[in-house]
Amino acid sequence: MDNSTNFDTYLLENFEHILSIVAKNKDLQTELYMRYAMLKIKLFQRWGRTEDLEEAIEKGKHAVAKTQEENEAYAGRLNNLGNMLESRYKRIGIIEDLEEAIRVARQAVDVTPKDYPDLATWLNNLGNKLGRRYERTGKTEDLEEAIRMTRQAVDITPEDHPDLAAWLNNLGNKLESRYERTGKIEDLEEAIRVARQAVDVTPEGHPDLAAWLSNLGNKLGHRYERTGKTEDLEKAIRITRQAVDITPKDHPDVAAWLNNLGNKLESRYERTGKIEDLEEAIRVARQAVDITPKDHPDLAGRLNNLGNKLESRYERIGKTEDLEEAIRITRQTVNITPKDHPDLAGRLNNLGNKLESRYKRTGNIEDLEEAIRVTRQAVDITPEDHPGVAAWLNNLGNKLEIRYERTGKIEDLEEAIRITRHAVDITPGDYPDLATLLNNLGNKLGRRYERIGEMEDLEEAIRMTRQAVDITPEDHPDLAGRLNNLGNKLCRRYECIGKIEDLEEDIRMTRQAVDITPKDHPDLATLLNNLGNKLGRRYECTGEMEDLEEAIRVARQAVDITPKDHPDLAGRLNNLGDKLGHRYERTGKIEDLEEAIRMTQQAVDITPEDYPDLAGRLSSLGNQLSHRYERTGKIEDLEKAIRVTQQAVDITPEDHPGVAAWLNNLGNKLEIRYERTGKMEDLEEAIRMTQQAVDIMPEDHPDLATLLNNLGNKLSHRYERTGKIEDLEEAIRMTRQAVDITPEDHPYLATLLNNLGNILGRRYERTGKMEDLDEAIQVAQQAWKCENAAPFVRISASTLALQLLQSREDFESAYNLSVEAINLLPYVHNRSLDRQDQQYVVSHFSGLATTACSLALQTRQGPEAALDVLEQGRGVILSLLMADRSDTSELKATYPQLCTQYESLRLEVNKPTKNITDNHTRRTASTSRVEAITKLEMCVRDIQQLPGFGQFHKGLTTKQMQSCSAEGSIIVVNVTNLRSDAIIITADGFKVLPLPGLSTRQAKDWINQDLTTTSQSGRGRKNKAYLQFLSWLWRGCVRPVLDELHCYEQRSAEDLPRVWWIGTGLTSSFPFHSAGDISVGPTENTSYRVISSYTPTLKALQYARDRAGTSILPRRHPWRAVIITMPDTPGASTLPGTRAERSEIIAAMEPSVSIKTLEYPDVVSAMAQLRECNIAHFACHGISDPADPSSSGLILQTARTTTEEPRQDILSVREVSQAHLLRAEIAYLSACSTAQNRAIELSDEVLHVASGFQVAGFRHVVGCLWPSDDKVCVDVAKSFYSELSQGGTGSYDDRAIALALHKAVAKIRESNEYCKRPLLWAQYMHFGA
């Protein structure tokens, strides 16, 4: 240690003592005061103790006061005092210290000769203090003078002077400040040059090197922000990290270097999206805050920077704790920043941004209001020429836009556009933030277009956003958002103009945005949601199912990764609901509709009442509820749909672009209610609403066609009600206009054409003008040919075209069209649908097969072609079920590996999923099932290519059809408006017998009399009427057919031939076996000529026979029978005869048959017994569901418990038909309506309890068309089983079973007590082999 150091230490420890020693030497005392002050300032700089600083200033002021101006040390002492005052200002922030520091520093310069070697130091220090004041006040005069002073210092300093580096560093800082103020790139370039020169001339071990490195890093960081060149950012990080590494951990400046390093790491995170950079940025920023004294003037800036980084992590990961801490820290920053501090505006702006983020997360409007207030304050206190003003203006505009989205106040949007346009105008063309400003201006112009509909706004929005994309570097983290925004605006233009190129570019942009976004990025959900919307749009345009499926997948992914408390969750749920609704409309899957309603209801529930998007979500919910009403007929759904859609209309401003859609939707629902109730007020209001929607919809809007079409429909309804031709004429004008403005390749065109065809058809019916008929046919056929339309729409169009073509007697065209329409059925009816959905799909084809059959016969295509279309278009649900249970023994013997694959996939496809309650598990199971279905269909196609398996899972060939008649003739009765025929299949071939006496009109008249629904008081009248019906059926159908077959009366029933009846359409539930004319004689009926059986289709008959051949051989062990009885049923009348019925069956069949009895079983118990038995007998109530035939069934009951009484438990068609019963032979269903299908639109599906048991595996089923008498049920069952058991062997062939029922019913029919009471015996039918 040298003598000087020893003295300095001694001076610090013994200052007062030393002063006393030199008391007489005033100059030496003054010099010691300044020396002591300088030692204290060094201690402060090292340790940051404010008491050292205060003592230094006190002693420095004393030294200056005691020094004469002419003293050569005077300037130096002024300079030192100025530095001390500046240090205290930097520490405490009191502006008076800075003002005094500038005064004394300026005085130091003024008293120093121009050639004095220390002048450069005084100039540099004065420049620093002026720079400080500029930072505090924002006065550019201070900055300009600071640059002049510091430049002068550099200029007069020799190149080899050790202080040159400091002066260069300081000059660079001030040029950097001027760049930040003016945006002039020349200032930044010069700042980098001189900062680099400062580093270059500083030795490696120099204590100031860290500061010069940190400052150079800051300037390179600024140039990166301006140009986007990553080399600058990488170099800035390296240099700043070097500054941290070479600085002692206890150095007071290390906090500043850490703060700077954190900022640069944050910038790299923003550029690359690498979360490691952000995590390190937060760590070093937090470290910088932690080591900064609480009264340090830079603490506010460091807190502000830490808050920004925490906000960035929140935006990336979504943890609300980060956002809450960011707000706390930034609020603290604002609170400790002096009101006149130049950085206050930036900190207010940052606080506003964080409050905005919290608003977006929670929807709390107070956060948004405060965000606007503090950001407006930031703008107000910022000078107009300040480089940060554009950013503050942009942020204020964003917040006003968000408030507009919440409240719908157009003033907020107008101000947002003005402010953001001003921000763009004052930003230099090469400024890196220009892309952000252009993007945001584009968003706001897009918003105004959505509100007002001005096309100029949309065009400018596209230009602004495209420019923003073009100037954004490819690796920039904001590129994804800008691509997404450009896509959104192109989508808007597509919606307005209809150019598919806009939509295609939109999807490309949005898909690119998704692809370049990290999987854990919080914006990914937004981008996925938007991609889903755009794919949904393309689906609506092209009808491509792949687009809709992908749209649902990405929309679901967006929902799944969105936090439950996120304010955008409602919108994403709503969008997913819309897409599921579209898939329901396309496929008819009810589970899609149910999920759509759940999603949309949830979206509505979590949307704030004052949120502007609430109306759209209410309208969507109304649409989904309306669809469910149309499917189920539940009036509650329709009423709620009307309520929520009315609410959507009520809360929407009149000038809002969505109001036309809401009015249209409300009109549609009122129209539906009119159709239900017939109330004219609903129809009138529906017309008013839809007319209003048409009037306010822009002429170039793509939805105008929909509105015109809907208005046309409502006017057509009013015409039907009132007969006013003006309504019909206007309906045609509206619908024709809708067609004219719709692109030819649009999938909705088919709907419009179909509706136009309907309305033109009505005018033809009114006026008889052939030109109306011709045009109606032309547009209906055009609608059918729209292959991108929804299949249900095309089928509706084909049905219309078939009616119209028959009116014109163009039967050839009608036949060809009917075949094409039936060929569409496999594409919409498949295994992916559950039973209810299959019924819904098939109902759209109702009557198509019977019409095609009549057209085939009318055009002389032959009975084989007529039967082929019947087999393809009837019983399709049963056909699919039977195909999945078909015998695979031949396939297994020939191709065992392929058979194993087929059977495995068949099991996977039919695996039940209805009891899965967890949504995720159910979706996973559903996805697996869809994949298995695809594989199964491919497997079936592969099997069909094999030799000998060409008809696998296909319809019957002509040869196979004829082979079905080996055991007796098959009679197919087909009745339509065009003609009525019996197609007879015998071993000799096919024959067509016209039935002119069996007209459609008469058949409908008999059906409409509902003769089989009787009360005790009306039974006599209805029995008499039913005898007349049976006589009509005998004369018009059965007798001519049996005469044609030469089937005449036989002496004994054993000598009677067998026949199988297939009634189609209207005749599907006709009792051909009971037809007869009692007035002619007791033998003038079917049962004296043939033994009758029934089959839903030829394929069903083959299925029954294939299960066991044509005869049942004796078995080593006796057959097992189960008898299930329900003497009492919860909520239904008692059936006391069921016990007697059970006793008679046991008496008739034992001991040749092993019998198990169950009384009051539940469904599970009954199904368990069915799997083990050969014969199943049910004596109970039955139910036929007119809305859902698969829900028809046998009424059992749940088990009684200590807390619950038994309740009805339905063994439904759905449940039974899912079983695969390998031992099943005979099912006797002694229950009402087990052979009845009351769903008119599904009459050709022959879905009833009896057919369900057939599918499950029972080769013979005895069922009833309607309820009978308890005593008659006992007698018929007794006779049936007694007849079967005559041999006592328990062995029966197929004929014996049909004959047993024939004889049992004949006994009742021929008795004097019952012969004129057909409602007690005509309902018994035998189905099967």
Side-chain angles (χ1 to χ4, degrees):
M1 185 177 293
D2 59 25
N3 292 332
S4 173
T5 304
N6 286 335
F7 176 74
D8 286 346
T9 304
Y10 185 77
L11 179 63
L12 284 169
E13 294 173 351
N14 301 281
F15 179 63
E16 295 296 336
H17 175 65
I18 293 172
L19 283 181
S20 66
I21 294 172
V22 296
K24 293 182 180 179
N25 189 342
K26 299 301 179 185
D27 287 341
L28 182 56
Q29 268 195 334
T30 302
E31 184 178 344
L32 289 171
Y33 265 99
M34 184 52 70
R35 185 164 184 165
Y36 181 82
M38 295 303 294
L39 291 172
K40 281 292 184 180
I41 203 71
K42 284 183 180 179
L43 289 173
F44 165 73
Q45 290 171 349
R46 177 67 177 181
W47 305 110
R49 293 193 297 260
T50 53
E51 54 267 31
D52 289 332
L53 178 59
E54 293 296 342
E55 197 172 354
I57 293 171
E58 178 200 342
K59 299 298 188 290
K61 282 186 176 181
H62 182 84
V64 168
K66 296 297 182 180
T67 305
Q68 299 297 316
E69 283 193 18
E70 59 273 13
N71 191 324
E72 65 176 10
Y74 183 60
R77 291 170 183 170
L78 285 167
N79 174 75
N80 291 343
L81 177 58
N83 291 347
M84 294 170 195
L85 290 163
E86 181 183 14
S87 292
R88 189 164 70 183
Y89 164 75
K90 288 165 65 179
R91 180 61 177 266
I92 301 173
I94 297 175
I95 192 69
E96 292 84 353
D97 280 335
L98 184 57
E99 297 291 352
E100 187 179 358
I102 291 171
R103 280 199 307 276
V104 297
R106 196 184 298 282
Q107 190 178 353
V109 168
D110 292 345
V111 300
T112 303
K114 297 289 182 278
D115 60 348
Y116 194 73
D118 286 337
L119 178 61
T121 302
W122 316 157
L123 287 165
N124 172 73
N125 291 347
L126 174 59
N128 287 348
K129 293 165 182 62
L130 290 163
R132 283 282 175 219
R133 190 164 69 184
Y134 161 74
E135 291 171 2
R136 178 65 177 264
T137 66
K139 290 183 178 177
T140 53
E141 312 90 82
D142 281 335
L143 181 59
E144 294 296 342
E145 187 181 2
I147 291 171
R148 284 198 306 274
M149 296 294 104
T150 316
R151 196 184 295 282
Q152 188 180 345
V154 168
D155 291 345
I156 66 176
T157 302
E159 289 187 5
D160 59 349
H161 195 285
D163 288 337
L164 178 62
W167 313 160
L168 288 164
N169 173 72
N170 292 343
L171 176 59
N173 289 347
K174 292 166 184 61
L175 290 164
E176 180 183 23
S177 293
R178 189 164 69 183
Y179 160 74
E180 291 171 355
R181 180 64 177 261
T182 66
K184 288 185 177 178
I185 193 70
E186 309 86 69
D187 281 333
L188 182 58
E189 295 293 351
E190 186 184 0
I192 292 171
R193 281 199 305 275
V194 297
R196 197 184 300 282
Q197 188 181 347
V199 168
D200 292 344
V201 300
T202 302
E204 281 193 6
H206 197 284
D208 289 334
L209 179 60
W212 311 162
L213 287 166
S214 179
N215 290 342
L216 174 58
N218 290 344
K219 293 164 185 59
L220 290 166
H222 275 126
R223 188 165 68 183
Y224 159 74
E225 291 168 3
R226 178 65 176 262
T227 65
K229 290 184 177 178
T230 53
E231 312 91 84
D232 280 333
L233 180 58
E234 294 296 341
K235 193 174 290 186
I237 291 172
R238 283 199 307 275
I239 287 172
T240 313
R241 201 184 291 282
Q242 184 184 349
V244 170
D245 293 343
I246 66 175
T247 304
K249 296 292 182 285
D250 58 352
H251 195 284
D253 287 339
V254 76
W257 314 159
L258 287 165
N259 177 71
N260 293 344
L261 176 59
N263 291 345
K264 290 164 186 60
L265 289 165
E266 182 182 22
S267 293
R268 187 163 69 183
Y269 160 74
E270 291 168 356
R271 181 63 177 261
T272 66
K274 288 186 177 177
I275 194 72
E276 310 88 75
D277 281 332
L278 182 57
E279 295 293 352
E280 186 183 1
I282 291 172
R283 281 198 306 274
V284 297
R286 199 182 294 282
Q287 188 181 347
V289 166
D290 291 344
I291 64 175
T292 301
K294 295 293 178 280
D295 58 350
H296 198 287
D298 289 339
L299 177 61
R302 291 165 195 169
L303 285 166
N304 179 69
N305 291 341
L306 175 58
N308 291 345
K309 293 166 183 59
L310 289 164
E311 182 184 23
S312 293
R313 188 164 68 183
Y314 160 74
E315 291 169 357
R316 177 62 177 266
I317 298 174
K319 286 187 176 178
T320 53
E321 308 92 86
D322 281 333
L323 181 57
E324 294 296 343
E325 185 182 5
I327 291 172
R328 282 197 308 274
I329 286 173
T330 313
R331 201 183 292 283
Q332 182 185 352
T333 299
V334 168
N335 292 338
I336 67 174
T337 301
K339 295 292 179 281
D340 58 350
H341 198 286
D343 288 340
L344 178 61
R347 292 163 190 172
L348 286 164
N349 172 73
N350 290 344
L351 177 58
N353 290 345
K354 293 167 183 61
L355 289 164
E356 175 189 345
S357 292
R358 189 163 69 183
Y359 162 75
K360 288 179 178 176
R361 181 64 176 260
T362 67
N364 190 345
I365 193 70
E366 293 83 27
D367 281 333
L368 181 57
E369 295 294 349
E370 185 183 1
I372 291 171
R373 280 199 308 275
V374 297
T375 313
R376 199 183 293 281
Q377 186 183 348
V379 169
D380 292 344
I381 66 175
T382 304
E384 286 192 7
D385 61 346
H386 193 284
V389 75
W392 314 163
L393 287 165
N394 172 68
N395 290 342
L396 177 57
N398 290 346
K399 292 167 182 61
L400 289 164
E401 180 185 15
I402 291 168
R403 188 165 70 183
Y404 160 74
E405 293 169 2
R406 177 67 177 260
T407 66
K409 288 185 178 176
I410 193 71
E411 310 89 79
D412 280 334
L413 183 58
E414 295 292 352
E415 185 183 4
I417 291 171
R418 283 197 307 274
I419 285 172
T420 314
R421 196 185 296 283
H422 180 45
V424 168
D425 292 343
I426 65 176
T427 301
D430 61 346
Y431 201 68
D433 285 343
L434 179 61
T436 299
L437 304 180
L438 288 164
N439 177 71
N440 291 347
L441 177 57
N443 288 346
K444 293 168 182 61
L445 290 163
R447 289 279 182 210
R448 189 165 68 184
Y449 161 75
E450 291 169 4
R451 178 64 177 264
I452 298 174
E454 290 289 338
M455 198 62 196
E456 304 82 54
D457 279 336
L458 182 57
E459 294 294 349
E460 186 183 4
I462 291 172
R463 286 197 304 275
M464 296 292 103
T465 317
R466 198 182 293 282
Q467 187 181 344
V469 167
D470 292 344
I471 65 176
T472 301
E474 286 188 6
D475 60 346
H476 198 283
D478 290 338
L479 179 60
R482 290 165 193 167
L483 287 164
N484 174 65
N485 290 341
L486 176 57
N488 289 345
K489 291 164 187 62
L490 290 164
C491 185
R492 295 285 181 275
R493 189 165 69 183
Y494 159 74
E495 290 168 356
C496 186
I497 298 174
K499 284 188 176 179
I500 193 67
E501 302 89 329
D502 280 334
L503 184 56
E504 295 292 351
E505 185 183 3
D506 168 26
I507 291 172
R508 285 197 304 275
M509 297 285 107
T510 314
R511 201 184 292 283
Q512 184 183 347
V514 168
D515 292 343
I516 65 176
T517 301
K519 295 293 178 280
D520 60 346
H521 199 284
D523 288 343
L524 180 61
T526 299
L527 302 177
L528 287 166
N529 176 70
N530 291 348
L531 177 59
N533 289 345
K534 294 165 177 59
L535 290 164
R537 288 280 184 212
R538 189 163 68 184
Y539 162 74
E540 291 169 9
C541 180
T542 65
E544 289 291 333
M545 202 61 192
E546 299 81 24
D547 280 334
L548 182 57
E549 294 293 350
E550 186 184 1
I552 291 172
R553 280 198 306 275
V554 297
R556 197 185 295 285
Q557 188 181 347
V559 167
D560 290 344
I561 65 176
T562 301
K564 294 293 177 278
D565 60 346
H566 199 285
D568 290 340
L569 178 62
R572 290 164 195 168
L573 286 165
N574 183 72
N575 291 341
L576 175 57
D578 281 345
K579 291 165 187 59
L580 289 163
H582 284 312
R583 188 164 70 183
Y584 163 74
E585 291 168 16
R586 179 68 175 260
T587 67
K589 286 179 90 169
I590 192 70
E591 69 184 55
D592 280 335
L593 180 57
E594 294 293 352
E595 187 180 6
I597 290 171
R598 285 197 306 274
M599 296 292 106
T600 317
Q601 182 70 64
Q602 189 181 345
V604 167
D605 292 343
I606 65 176
T607 301
E609 287 187 7
D610 59 347
Y611 202 69
D613 287 341
L614 178 60
R617 291 163 196 172
L618 286 165
S619 182
S620 294
L621 177 59
N623 290 343
Q624 312 293 11
L625 289 165
S626 180
H627 284 139
R628 189 164 69 183
Y629 163 75
E630 290 169 354
R631 178 70 175 263
T632 67
K634 290 184 178 177
I635 194 68
E636 312 90 79
D637 280 333
L638 180 57
E639 294 295 348
K640 184 175 179 183
I642 292 171
R643 280 199 310 276
V644 297
T645 314
Q646 182 72 61
Q647 186 183 348
V649 170
D650 292 343
I651 65 175
T652 304
E654 287 187 6
D655 62 343
H656 194 283
V659 75
W662 315 161
L663 286 165
N664 171 68
N665 291 344
L666 179 57
N668 290 346
K669 290 159 188 64
L670 290 165
E671 179 184 23
I672 293 168
R673 188 165 69 183
Y674 160 75
E675 293 169 359
R676 173 71 174 257
T677 66
K679 289 184 178 177
M680 199 62 190
E681 314 90 84
D682 280 335
L683 182 57
E684 294 294 350
E685 188 180 359
I687 291 171
R688 282 198 304 276
M689 294 282 134
T690 316
Q691 183 69 63
Q692 187 181 347
V694 167
D695 293 343
I696 63 177
M697 181 65 80
E699 288 187 5
D700 59 351
H701 198 285
D703 289 340
L704 179 60
T706 300
L707 271 58
L708 288 165
N709 172 70
N710 291 344
L711 179 57
N713 286 343
K714 293 169 182 62
L715 291 164
S716 177
H717 273 127
R718 190 164 68 183
Y719 161 74
E720 292 170 4
R721 179 68 173 263
T722 66
K724 289 184 178 177
I725 194 69
E726 310 89 78
D727 280 334
L728 186 59
E729 296 294 347
E730 188 179 359
I732 291 171
R733 282 198 303 275
M734 295 292 102
T735 316
R736 198 187 297 285
Q737 185 183 347
V739 168
D740 292 343
I741 64 176
T742 301
E744 288 186 6
D745 60 349
H746 199 287
Y748 191 59
L749 179 62
T751 298
L752 306 180
L753 289 164
N754 187 48
N755 289 344
L756 179 58
N758 268 314
I759 300 170
L760 287 165
R762 289 193 184 95
R763 190 165 70 180
Y764 163 71
E765 292 168 2
R766 175 73 175 258
T767 66
K769 290 183 178 178
M770 284 305 294
E771 53 266 36
D772 280 334
L773 178 60
D774 291 341
E775 186 183 2
I777 291 171
Q778 181 260 318
V779 296
Q781 287 179 316
Q782 187 183 345
W784 160 253
K785 291 174 183 175
C786 292
E787 294 187 1
N788 61 347
F792 300 148
V793 175
R794 295 186 66 205
I795 287 299
S796 176
S798 72
T799 302
L800 173 63
L802 286 173
Q803 293 170 355
L804 297 169
L805 286 165
Q806 289 180 77
S807 297
R808 199 170 65 185
E809 297 188 358
D810 185 353
F811 301 121
E812 286 286 347
S813 298
Y815 170 68
N816 292 330
L817 175 58
S818 69
V819 172
E820 290 176 16
I822 287 174
N823 288 337
L824 182 64
L825 184 54
Y827 294 95
V828 291
H829 174 265
N830 52 58
R831 292 176 176 84
S832 68
L833 303 172
D834 68 16
R835 183 70 59 77
Q836 193 174 359
D837 295 329
Q838 289 177 343
Q839 290 172 178
Y840 176 71
V841 168
V842 171
S843 69
H844 287 76
F845 292 76
S846 178
L848 185 57
T850 54
T851 298
C853 175
S854 288
L855 287 166
L857 298 176
Q858 187 74 11
T859 54
R860 302 179 186 279
Q861 303 296 323
E864 298 90 343
L867 286 171
D868 188 53
V869 291
L870 278 178
E871 285 289 301
Q872 285 188 62
R874 290 183 69 258
V876 292
I877 295 174
L878 294 176
S879 177
L880 201 59
L881 289 166
M882 290 185 292
D884 285 344
R885 289 161 176 76
S886 56
D887 180 25
T888 57
S889 55
E890 188 178 344
L891 179 66
K892 192 170 189 175
T894 316
Y895 301 97
Q897 192 171 353
L898 191 57
C899 183
T900 300
Q901 180 188 356
Y902 166 76
E903 289 178 340
S904 172
L905 289 169
R906 187 167 68 176
L907 283 172
E908 177 68 23
V909 164
N910 289 291
K911 191 183 294 180
T913 60
K914 68 173 185 176
N915 293 325
I916 299 174
T917 55
D918 178 66
N919 287 337
H920 177 73
T921 306
R922 186 172 61 249
R923 285 203 300 266
T924 302
S926 178
T927 302
S928 299
R929 185 167 180 266
V930 169
E931 292 171 357
I933 287 166
T934 303
K935 291 177 183 176
L936 177 60
E937 289 170 351
M938 290 176 61
C939 182
V940 168
R941 285 195 293 272
D942 290 342
I943 294 170
Q944 289 169 348
Q945 301 302 312
L946 300 173
F949 292 92
Q951 289 303 118
F952 188 78
H953 275 225
K954 286 186 178 179
L956 302 181
T957 62
T958 300
K959 184 177 179 182
Q960 287 172 322
M961 288 184 195
Q962 190 170 349
S963 69
C964 288
S965 66
E967 300 299 315
S969 302
I970 302 168
I971 302 133
V972 181
V973 180
N974 191 67
V975 177
T976 65
N977 288 326
L978 178 61
R979 56 187 290 157
S980 299
D981 301 276
I983 302 174
I984 303 170
I985 310 171
T986 67
D988 296 328
F990 301 86
K991 186 181 295 183
V992 177
L993 179 67
L995 300 173
L998 197 70
S999 72
T1000 300
R1001 182 186 60 77
Q1002 289 174 306
K1004 286 180 178 178
D1005 285 345
W1006 282 114
I1007 293 170
N1008 290 337
Q1009 289 184 49
D1010 195 20
L1011 296 174
T1012 60
T1013 303
T1014 64
S1015 61
Q1016 197 65 38
S1017 59
R1019 182 162 289 185
R1021 177 183 60 81
K1022 288 197 172 183
N1023 268 311
K1024 185 176 181 180
Y1026 205 77
L1027 284 172
Q1028 294 172 347
F1029 163 68
L1030 294 175
S1031 176
W1032 169 80
L1033 185 61
W1034 170 255
R1035 293 192 309 275
C1037 174
V1038 177
R1039 187 174 64 186
V1041 168
L1042 297 182
D1043 286 348
E1044 181 69 26
L1045 286 170
H1046 306 293
C1047 293
Y1048 302 113
E1049 181 183 349
Q1050 301 294 322
R1051 291 181 184 177
S1052 168
E1054 275 77 4
D1055 298 328
L1056 295 174
R1058 292 190 69 187
V1059 298
W1060 279 263
W1061 298 95
I1062 300 176
T1064 71
L1066 290 171
T1067 68
S1068 60
S1069 291
F1070 278 10
F1072 301 105
H1073 67 289
S1074 296
D1077 187 353
I1078 197 171
S1079 65
V1080 176
T1083 61
E1084 187 68 5
N1085 58 58
T1086 313
S1087 64
Y1088 274 85
R1089 296 201 186 187
V1090 291
I1091 300 169
S1092 293
S1093 294
Y1094 290 81
T1095 182
T1097 61
L1098 292 171
K1099 189 171 186 178
L1101 179 57
Q1102 185 191 51
Y1103 172 77
R1105 287 177 176 163
D1106 284 349
R1107 290 185 64 79
T1110 55
S1111 65
I1112 301 171
L1113 300 175
R1115 288 163 171 76
R1116 197 178 311 162
H1117 301 290
W1119 274 12
R1120 299 180 60 181
V1122 60
I1123 304 173
I1124 293 173
T1125 54
M1126 291 288 297
D1128 298 292
T1129 304
S1133 59
T1134 59
L1135 298 172
T1138 59
R1139 285 178 175 147
E1141 192 170 328
R1142 179 180 62 200
S1143 299
E1144 294 292 356
I1145 297 168
I1146 293 171
M1149 299 186 72
E1150 282 187 340
S1152 59
V1153 174
S1154 172
I1155 298 176
K1156 168 84 173 178
T1157 63
L1158 288 179
E1159 193 164 76
Y1160 304 123
D1162 58 15
V1163 168
V1164 174
S1165 303
M1167 286 301 301
Q1169 289 302 317
L1170 289 181
R1171 293 185 185 95
E1172 302 300 324
C1173 74
N1174 309 101
I1175 301 173
H1177 185 99
F1178 286 83
C1180 58
H1181 282 291
I1183 183 173
S1184 178
D1185 191 323
D1188 178 11
S1190 291
S1191 293
S1192 301
L1194 302 169
I1195 305 178
L1196 307 179
Q1197 70 176 42
T1198 59
R1200 185 188 304 274
T1201 69
T1202 55
T1203 57
E1204 285 190 7
E1205 288 295 310
R1207 62 182 185 278
Q1208 290 188 1
D1209 198 12
I1210 309 297
L1211 178 56
S1212 67
V1213 174
R1214 185 178 285 104
E1215 182 104 21
V1216 171
S1217 59
Q1218 286 174 348
H1220 190 189
L1221 307 176
L1222 300 177
R1223 301 180 181 183
E1225 293 290 345
I1226 304 170
Y1228 190 119
L1229 310 178
S1230 183
C1232 46
S1233 307
T1234 51
Q1236 182 184 34
N1237 178 0
R1238 293 166 59 199
I1240 296 171
E1241 292 183 339
L1242 291 168
S1243 57
D1244 276 323
E1245 284 308 293
V1246 205
L1247 283 170
H1248 43 59
V1249 184
S1251 62
F1253 273 80
Q1254 275 190 284
V1255 169
F1258 285 96
R1259 301 180 60 251
H1260 299 271
V1261 182
V1262 175
C1264 298
L1265 283 168
W1266 60 84
S1268 184
D1269 178 79
D1270 216 16
K1271 182 177 181 303
V1272 172
C1273 290
V1274 175
D1275 291 344
V1276 173
K1278 175 184 176 182
S1279 297
F1280 173 79
Y1281 287 107
S1282 297
E1283 185 68 32
L1284 272 186
S1285 304
Q1286 275 186 354
T1289 61
S1291 173
Y1292 327 105
D1293 63 19
D1294 292 335
R1295 176 184 171 86
I1297 296 167
L1299 178 61
L1301 182 65
H1302 178 93
K1303 288 183 173 182
V1305 174
K1307 280 185 184 179
I1308 303 297
R1309 186 189 63 246
E1310 292 170 4
S1311 69
N1312 291 330
E1313 183 180 359
Y1314 296 116
C1315 65
K1316 293 184 179 180
R1317 299 162 68 186
L1319 293 177
L1320 296 179
W1321 47 261
Q1323 65 267 55
Y1324 288 92
M1325 306 173 77
H1326 170 261
F1327 292 86

